[in-house]
């Protein structure tokens, strides 16, 4: 039986090729994902570990917990504390670290580093061991800076050039005095690092006389743990906490691994989808192989083979196919991983240097996935093969499925589908995150139910295409009959395409609906012409609002400043706005009271009011950052949204409690102009801010375009990932048609003999493929719309402006894509059918 199984594999090489390709693509996606994420994670971990070479023990502020009505503030690391740490037993030196966001512009005025990776810090004294100088000298004074060598290379800067940069709003133009090298992970990822002398950095980052961290270097012969013990003895426990450099590197590595796990999980989900689709092809292939070998298998039974031996022979074939697919998939995956890493450079995402990582886990996962998926998919056909009675050796056609088995299948499918719909509808009644898990379970149940019911659904849906097929005469009639003759085969072929289109359609519906909803939210809630913010969403200097208010054509401005407070023993964030102007800049619906902000009067969103039991006229006491308290009155309750929510009070009331410049910072500034939004007005505002590389000036259209760009990028990535599932589905259609042509060779030969020409044969096979593909496309688009609607219901509770938007144009494109898939998939099988020798085929 072992030799028989191997000979069977070699005898059906062409027919098993598509199955190998389907499994190979899935395995390649899995192994490529693991190689790519492991390589990136390893490169970042090694790069970040180098960054801690100069840190044996890091001293950081002890985190203070909030207590009662007072706001706890983290203690500061002072110069005195640094000097104390430097004199600790076993300490060789100590460096005070200051850091913060610093946006720098290239020579064209564009932001370097992508916002979040644009960092600034301090260069310690004349020679900082963390940042070896490549050229020039250390910065000194507010008019001098040093930049990393990668940024200098990318932006074309050198020592002596003038640099335009911004920390929190105002533009600075210092001279580059030095270019340094660094192992900083942000720089390795394509970001930038700008260094000032320590005093300047402390002033710019609002940390005068204090540090974010103190890095202590151990003297020769002193271990990190020994130095940490010595520091713990002399440093005040309520002020500072210590961590070894080794622990920092380990923590950083864990954090990087955690960040990469999200990407890895997402990519593996799509690999799972491709493999799931591939199982249909595998099961279909082995089912058809078993059907075509009915006489052969029954003859084996007749000469003494047991049922278990027949089942094992089919599983052995699957094992060989899975092994070949796993080996080729692993090799292809290694290539994919290397290609993805190289591709990141085209998206301005630089990756630290490092070798390609092919772990034993990747190899094991590739073989496990390839072999197990193939053998599981072949198990049912193997069992069916074992049930072939020896008497079937007398005929080449095995008994068709009984009525009882079809009734059982349809009943089971109906139960799964009904359960899926019920659970999905139930999930739509739940609140946001609570409904995610039930909706996922319901979606899986519904897809399984539809898959089981697909043979039943195929008859009426394919029958609906009969009037169109009649146009093609005999070929069209034969194509329709062939499609419904074996509904299980048609169902398995169409289901592979259905799953891919379900996901694509559902995501498209969700993205389009969210885009429209956010556009409506921005239009409904904002009357301001422009919103000004930092590129990385950090805080703005109060000077930004002052400059905008003094700009020609500006009629009203208001900052939006976040500040923590203690209310009823809990931390509640306040939003400071200009009370006299906020009414002109927003259009928030007030359900209770009036929209008056000024003095002790505040307005509160519905959610916050409900949580505290407030209404118009209610009063409460707020404890501010300076530990002072004030009695505030609720003037009105408004409908909040994702753009504006919480407690709004006048900045004139809030500012006296924010003596620290770091606290008195605005998250954004809303601007109203006399002429409305225009290119000229936008240019005027940008010039007023010094054409700052770190500041964004956006009108409603810009805001909408930014969101649209984000959704478009996300959708394109998802389309690219799901393309793998569609490619596998195409292979399934080709495979089914090719094997169907082989199975019907005698029939095709007879059709040729009685007068159907080669063109007619080709047309018949193509129309059959087209009908099956469109059947899968209709089911996929229908399910996708349902899932898109259901997922939108979860968002509707938290997004009042949410509404379902059906992208009719894209859905039409998806159906057209399904038709193209059908036509392309039929090219080779149709040609093969047309070239059959009629006499040989009949014989």
């Amino acid at each position: 039986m072992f030799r028989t199984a191997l000979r069977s594999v070699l005898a059906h090489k062409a027919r098993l090729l598509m199955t190998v390709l389907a499994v190979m693509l899935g395995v390649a996606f899995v192994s490529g994902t693991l190689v790519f994420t492991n390589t990136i994670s390893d490169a970042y971990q090694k790069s970040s570990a180098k960054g801690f070479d100069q840190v044996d023990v890091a001293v950081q502020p002890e985190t203070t917990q909030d207590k009662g009505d007072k706001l706890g503030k983290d203690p500061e690391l002072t110069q005195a504390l640094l000097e104390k740490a430097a004199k600790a037993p076993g300490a060789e030196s100590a460096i005070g670290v200051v850091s913060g966001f610093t946006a720098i512009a290239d020579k064209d005025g564009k932001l370097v580093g992508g916002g979040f990776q644009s960092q600034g810090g301090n260069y310690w004294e004349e020679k900082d061991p963390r940042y070896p100088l490549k050229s020039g000298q250390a910065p000194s004074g507010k008019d001098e800076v040093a930049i990393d060598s990668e940024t200098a290379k990318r932006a074309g800067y050198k020592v002596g050039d003038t640099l335009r940069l911004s920390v929190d709003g105002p533009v600075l133009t210092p001279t580059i005095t030095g270019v340094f090298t660094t192992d900083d992970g942000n720089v390795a990822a394509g970001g930038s690092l700008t260094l000032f002398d320590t005093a300047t950095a402390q002033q710019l980052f609002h940390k005068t006389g204090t540090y974010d961290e103190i890095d202590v270097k151990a003297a020769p012969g002193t271990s990190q743990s020994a130095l940490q013990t010595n520091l713990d003895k002399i440093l005040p426990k309520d002020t500072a906490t210590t961590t070894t450099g080794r622990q920092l590197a380990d923590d950083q590595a864990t954090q990087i691994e955690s960040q990469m796990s999200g990407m890895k999980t997402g990519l593996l989900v799509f690999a799972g989808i491709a493999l799931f689709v591939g199982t249909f092809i595998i099961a279909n292939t082995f089912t058809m192989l078993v059907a075509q070998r009915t006489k052969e298998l029954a003859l084996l039974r007749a000469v003494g083979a047991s049922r278990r031996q027949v089942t094992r022979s089919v599983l052995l074939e699957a094992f060989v196919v899975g092994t070949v697919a796993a080996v080729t998939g692993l090799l292809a995956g290694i290539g994919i991983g290397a290609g993805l890493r190289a591709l990141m450079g085209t998206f301005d995402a630089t990756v630290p240097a490092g070798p390609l990582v092919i772990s034993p886990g990747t190899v094991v996962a590739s073989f496990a996935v390839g072999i197990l998926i193939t053998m599981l998919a072949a198990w049912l056909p193997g069992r069916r093969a074992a049930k072939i009675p020896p008497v079937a050796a007398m005929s080449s056609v095995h008994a068709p499925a009984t009525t009882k088995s079809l009734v059982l299948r349809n009943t089971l499918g109906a139960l799964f589908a009904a359960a899926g719909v019920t659970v999905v509808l139930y999930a739509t009644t739940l609140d946001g995150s609570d409904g995610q898990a039930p909706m996922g379970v319901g979606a899986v149940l519904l897809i399984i139910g539809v898959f089981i019911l697909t043979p039943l659904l195929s008859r009426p849906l394919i029958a609906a295409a009969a009037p169109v097929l009649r146009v093609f005469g005999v070929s069209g009639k034969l194509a329709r009959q062939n499609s419904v003759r074996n509904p299980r085969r048609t169902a398995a072929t169409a289901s592979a395409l259905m799953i891919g289109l379900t996901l694509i359609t559902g995501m498209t519906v969700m993205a389009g609906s969210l885009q429209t909803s956010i556009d409506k939210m921005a239009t409904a809630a904002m009357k301001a012409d422009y919103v000004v913010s930092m590129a990385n969403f950090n805080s703005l200097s109060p000077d930004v609002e002052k400059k905008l208010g003094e700009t020609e054509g500006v009629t009203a401005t208001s900052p939006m400043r976040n500040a923590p407070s203690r209310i009823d023993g809990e931390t509640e964030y306040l939003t400071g706005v200009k009370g006299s102007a906020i009414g002109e800049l927003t259009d928030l619906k007030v359900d209770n009271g009036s929209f008056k902000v000024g003095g002790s009067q505040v307005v509160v969103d519905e959610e916050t009011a409900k949580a505290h039991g407030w209404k118009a006229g209610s009063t409460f006491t707020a404890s501010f950052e300076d530990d002072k308290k004030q009695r505030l009155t609720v003037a009105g309750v408004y409908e909040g949204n994702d753009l504006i929510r919480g407690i709004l009070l006048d900045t004139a009331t809030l500012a006296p409690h924010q003596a620290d410049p770091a606290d008195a910072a605005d998250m954004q500034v809303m601007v109203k102009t006399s002429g409305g939004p225009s290119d000229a007005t936008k240019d005027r505002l940008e010039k007023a801010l010094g054409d700052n590389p770190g500041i964004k000036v956006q009108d409603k259209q810009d805001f909408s375009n930014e969101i649209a760009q984000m959704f478009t990028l996300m959708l394109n990535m998802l389309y690219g990932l799901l393309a793998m599932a569609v490619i596998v589905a195409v292979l399934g259609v080709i495979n089914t048609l090719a094997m169907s042509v082989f199975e019907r060779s005698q029939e095709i030969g007879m059709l040729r003999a009685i007068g159907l020409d080669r063109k007619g044969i080709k047309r018949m096979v193509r129309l059959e493929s087209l009908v099956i593909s469109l059947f899968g496309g209709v089911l996929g688009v229908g399910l996708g719309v349902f899932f898109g609607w259901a997922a939108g219901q979860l968002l509707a509770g938290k997004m009042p402006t949410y509404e379902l938007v059906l992208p009719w144009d894209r859905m039409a494109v998806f159906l057209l894509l399904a038709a193209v898939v059908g036509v392309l998939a039929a090219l080779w099988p149709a040609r093969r059918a047309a070239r059959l020798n009629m006499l040989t085929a009949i014989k």
Side-chain angles (χ1 to χ4, degrees):
M1 291 303 295
F2 180 78
R3 289 196 300 271
T4 302
L6 289 179
R7 285 173 180 170
S8 179
V9 172
L10 295 174
H12 302 112
K13 294 189 292 292
R15 280 180 261 174
L16 292 171
L17 177 62
M18 295 298 175
T19 303
V20 171
L21 284 174
V23 181
M24 184 202 76
L25 286 172
V27 172
F29 209 159
V30 171
S31 57
T33 295
L34 294 175
V35 169
F36 172 65
T37 52
N38 288 343
T39 298
I40 299 300
S41 180
D42 180 72
Y44 277 120
Q45 286 177 14
K46 287 180 178 177
S47 177
S48 65
K50 289 180 182 178
F52 294 110
D53 286 347
Q54 299 298 324
V55 183
D56 287 317
V57 178
V59 181
Q60 298 165 325
E62 178 67 51
T63 303
T64 304
Q65 300 295 326
D66 295 342
K67 295 180 180 180
D69 287 333
K70 292 186 177 181
L71 286 170
K73 275 198 168 186
D74 290 343
E76 297 176 333
L77 302 180
T78 62
Q79 180 67 27
L81 201 65
L82 182 142
E83 293 171 359
K84 193 172 186 179
K87 295 176 182 177
E92 181 179 295
S93 61
I95 293 174
V97 178
V98 184
S99 61
F101 172 71
T102 302
I104 67 174
D106 60 20
K107 292 188 175 181
D108 295 325
K110 295 180 180 178
L111 178 66
V112 174
F116 287 101
Q117 290 82 30
S118 300
Q119 293 295 314
N122 66 311
Y123 191 93
W124 189 251
E125 299 178 345
E126 292 299 318
K127 190 174 182 181
D128 193 327
R130 300 171 298 169
Y131 308 115
L133 286 170
K134 191 175 181 180
S135 61
Q137 59 187 20
S140 176
K142 64 180 182 179
D143 295 325
E144 294 184 358
V145 295
I147 63 172
D148 68 271
S149 56
E150 289 298 319
T151 299
K153 182 180 177 181
R154 284 195 295 267
Y157 284 122
K158 61 183 185 298
V159 173
D161 289 345
T162 299
L163 185 68
R164 296 181 68 255
L165 61 84
S166 171
V167 171
D168 60 0
V171 175
L172 306 175
T173 55
T175 301
I176 299 173
T177 62
V179 174
F180 59 88
T181 58
T182 177
D183 293 316
D184 187 281
N186 282 325
V187 174
S192 63
L193 180 60
T194 309
L195 300 180
F196 309 87
D197 69 75
T198 300
T200 302
Q202 288 175 326
Q203 179 187 358
L204 290 174
F205 301 133
H206 306 296
K207 296 165 187 172
T208 304
T210 64
Y211 303 98
D212 294 305
E213 182 177 298
I214 296 172
D215 293 339
V216 185
K217 184 73 174 173
T222 304
S223 67
Q224 291 187 352
S225 56
L227 177 59
Q228 182 183 25
T229 302
N230 294 338
L231 286 167
D232 286 339
K233 290 178 181 178
I234 65 170
L235 296 177
K237 293 182 180 180
D238 59 344
T239 300
T241 180
T242 59
T243 310
T244 63
R246 191 177 300 108
Q247 183 62 49
L248 286 173
D250 291 343
D251 291 345
Q252 184 75 12
T254 303
Q255 184 181 359
I256 291 170
E257 189 172 347
S258 175
Q259 291 170 345
M260 294 302 297
S261 69
M263 180 191 295
K264 183 185 293 186
T265 302
L267 291 172
L268 287 176
V269 164
F270 289 98
I273 292 168
L275 285 167
F276 184 57
V277 172
T279 42
F280 292 109
I281 301 174
I282 301 166
N284 219 10
T285 301
F286 280 95
T287 298
M288 295 176 73
L289 282 174
V290 166
Q292 292 168 14
R293 293 164 54 204
T294 297
K295 189 172 183 178
E296 173 192 330
L297 294 172
L299 189 58
L300 286 172
R301 290 291 316 283
V303 297
S306 66
R307 287 190 173 187
R308 287 186 179 180
Q309 284 180 313
V310 172
T311 302
R312 283 200 296 264
S313 71
V314 174
L315 290 177
L316 182 60
E317 292 180 40
F319 175 80
V320 174
V321 170
T323 303
V324 173
V327 172
T328 53
L330 174 61
L331 295 175
I334 293 171
I336 289 172
L340 285 174
R341 177 179 170 176
L343 190 64
M344 289 188 73
T346 63
F347 295 105
D348 297 326
T350 308
V351 181
L356 203 65
V357 178
I358 306 166
S359 67
T362 300
V363 177
V364 171
S366 299
F367 278 92
V369 167
I371 294 171
L372 287 179
I373 291 292
T374 309
M375 293 186 71
L376 283 173
W379 180 66
L380 280 177
R383 282 195 63 198
R384 196 175 297 123
K387 291 180 180 179
I388 297 175
V391 72
M394 306 296 294
S395 170
S396 62
V397 180
H398 184 42
T402 62
T403 304
K404 181 181 177 181
S405 68
L406 290 173
V407 170
L408 178 64
R409 177 176 180 137
N410 293 337
T411 303
L412 189 63
L415 290 173
F416 267 99
V421 171
T422 303
V423 174
V424 169
L425 292 177
Y426 166 72
T428 61
T429 64
L430 300 177
D431 180 50
S433 57
D434 294 336
Q436 291 178 3
M439 185 163 290
V441 172
V444 171
L445 289 174
L446 180 55
I447 287 176
I448 292 173
V450 171
F451 168 64
I452 297 173
L453 286 172
T454 309
L456 180 66
L457 296 172
S458 66
R459 290 186 177 276
L461 287 176
I462 291 175
V468 178
L469 292 175
R470 286 197 194 100
V471 176
F472 298 95
V474 175
S475 297
K477 184 178 180 180
L478 289 171
R480 184 183 66 80
Q481 291 175 347
N482 290 336
S483 301
V484 297
R485 181 194 301 178
N486 192 334
R488 289 185 174 182
R489 182 192 303 159
T490 298
T493 307
S495 295
L497 193 58
M498 175 192 77
I499 292 170
L501 286 180
T502 295
L503 294 168
I504 290 173
T505 305
M507 290 172 181
T508 303
V509 169
M510 279 287 297
S513 300
L514 280 172
Q515 173 67 55
T516 302
S517 304
I518 292 171
D519 286 350
K520 285 179 64 178
M521 185 188 300
T523 304
M526 301 284 288
K527 288 197 291 186
D529 294 322
Y530 293 96
V531 174
V532 179
S533 61
M534 291 297 287
N536 71 332
F537 306 105
N538 266 15
S539 54
L540 289 161
S541 166
D543 291 340
V544 171
E545 196 228 339
K546 292 178 183 176
K547 286 186 177 181
L548 290 170
E550 296 167 357
T551 304
E552 179 188 350
V554 172
T555 58
T557 62
S558 173
M560 292 191 74
R561 180 180 303 175
N562 288 345
S565 69
R566 295 290 288 180
I567 300 172
D568 297 334
E570 296 180 358
T571 299
E572 195 81 57
Y573 275 85
L574 309 173
T575 301
V577 297
K578 186 183 288 186
S580 60
I582 191 65
E584 297 179 56
L585 298 163
T586 60
D587 189 15
L588 298 169
K589 184 180 178 182
V590 179
D591 294 330
N592 182 242
S594 59
F595 197 81
K596 292 182 180 178
V597 180
S600 62
Q601 288 190 312
V602 301
V603 291
V604 185
D605 72 310
E606 290 176 332
E607 191 175 328
T608 305
K610 183 179 180 181
H612 290 277
W614 295 336
K615 60 182 179 180
S618 298
T619 60
F620 61 92
T621 300
S623 178
F624 295 96
E625 294 169 276
D626 59 356
D627 293 336
K628 292 182 180 179
K629 298 180 180 180
Q630 185 170 349
R631 196 75 178 165
L632 300 174
T633 303
V634 177
V637 178
Y638 67 92
E639 291 184 7
N641 55 56
D642 286 344
L643 298 177
I644 302 175
R645 62 172 64 233
I647 303 171
L648 306 184
L649 80 163
D650 201 327
T651 48
T653 304
L654 181 63
H657 302 287
Q658 296 180 308
D660 189 339
D663 296 330
D666 305 327
M667 295 309 295
Q668 60 185 36
V669 178
M670 293 179 285
V671 180
K672 186 78 173 174
T673 60
S674 56
S678 67
D679 291 341
T681 303
K682 185 175 180 179
D683 288 343
R684 193 158 56 244
L685 294 177
E686 289 176 342
K687 281 186 172 58
L689 297 174
D691 290 323
N692 195 313
I695 291 182
K696 295 190 296 185
V697 179
Q698 295 178 299
D699 59 18
K700 291 177 185 178
Q701 189 60 47
D702 293 331
F703 182 71
S704 176
N705 290 343
E706 185 176 59
I707 296 170
Q709 187 178 12
M710 179 179 65
F711 279 124
T712 301
L713 178 62
M714 179 186 71
L715 267 182
N716 288 339
M717 289 176 62
L718 293 175
Y719 288 160
L721 293 169
L722 287 171
M724 181 70 73
V726 175
I727 291 170
V728 173
V730 172
L731 292 176
V733 178
I734 297 172
N735 199 31
T736 301
L737 288 173
M739 298 186 76
S740 178
V741 166
F742 178 84
E743 183 182 333
R744 302 194 329 249
S745 295
Q746 191 174 35
E747 174 191 321
I748 293 170
M750 187 64 72
L751 289 171
R752 290 276 289 113
I754 62 175
L756 189 62
D757 60 10
R758 289 185 174 183
K759 287 184 178 179
I761 295 291
K762 285 184 180 180
R763 190 180 303 118
M764 177 188 72
V765 176
R766 286 171 185 164
L767 288 173
E768 181 182 347
S769 175
L770 183 63
V771 167
I772 293 173
S773 297
L774 282 174
F775 169 53
V778 169
L779 286 180
V781 170
L783 282 175
V785 169
F786 176 70
F787 290 140
W789 166 81
Q793 294 305 301
L794 291 180
L795 294 172
K798 293 191 174 182
M799 189 179 286
T801 57
Y802 183 86
E803 66 171 287
L804 180 68
V805 177
L806 295 180
W808 296 105
D809 54 343
R810 293 207 176 192
M811 290 193 292
V813 170
F814 296 154
L815 287 176
L816 181 62
L817 174 65
V820 171
V821 164
V823 172
L824 293 178
L827 290 178
W828 178 63
R831 187 181 178 193
R832 189 168 181 267
R835 296 178 68 179
L836 282 174
N837 183 293
M838 68 180 76
L839 295 178
T840 305
I842 292 171
K843 182 180 178 181

